[in-house]
Amino acid sequence: MADYFKDQMGTTEDDDIIVLYNEETDKDEEFFELATLDVDGKWYIVMKPVEQLPDIADDEVLIYEIIEDKEGNSNFAPIEDDAVLEKVFNEFIAMLEEWDEEENN
């Protein structure tokens, strides 16, 4: 699994990059979009920083719920429920394992 995260460091400019504003540092930060997942009828996004950030370890990802506002714009909301967060993360891991199996066959 750790190899997957190492492989992400070799991503190219064609990869999906999302820019998020960090209020604490007053800076924009770039993240690779690793996956979007439909879990129990809700959509979630899994991201990893493009550059190392002090508060995110190399093997950590960010997971947010994707919520559409009344105008149809997508917004990212933090997941407050630990059980939901764990379920989404487990779905992400299962997806990675499936990709790994397909790649090795």
Side-chain angles (χ1 to χ4, degrees), residues 36-94:
T36 53
L37 304 166
D38 179 0
V39 178
D40 297 334
K42 294 184 179 181
W43 284 94
Y44 299 90
I45 186 165
V46 181
M47 300 179 287
K48 178 163 183 59
V50 170
E51 295 181 10
Q52 180 66 40
L53 296 175
D55 54 345
I56 301 174
D58 284 339
D59 63 347
E60 288 183 322
V61 295
L62 297 178
I63 302 174
Y64 289 99
E65 182 178 354
I66 302 171
I67 299 175
E68 281 194 21
D69 63 18
K70 293 178 184 177
E71 290 82 37
N73 299 314
S74 295
N75 295 297
F76 300 149
I79 302 169
E80 304 290 334
D81 186 331
D82 288 340
V84 171
L85 183 60
E86 184 174 345
K87 185 171 187 174
V88 173
F89 182 72
N90 288 336
E91 290 285 332
F92 174 63
I93 296 300

Side-chain angles (χ1 to χ4, degrees), residues 1 7 13-14 20 22-23 58 67 70 75 78 84 88:
M1 194 62 56
D7 291 346
E13 59 199 42
D14 295 330
L20 299 178
N22 184 331
E23 292 179 359
D58 284 339
I67 299 175
K70 293 178 184 177
N75 295 297
V84 171
V88 173

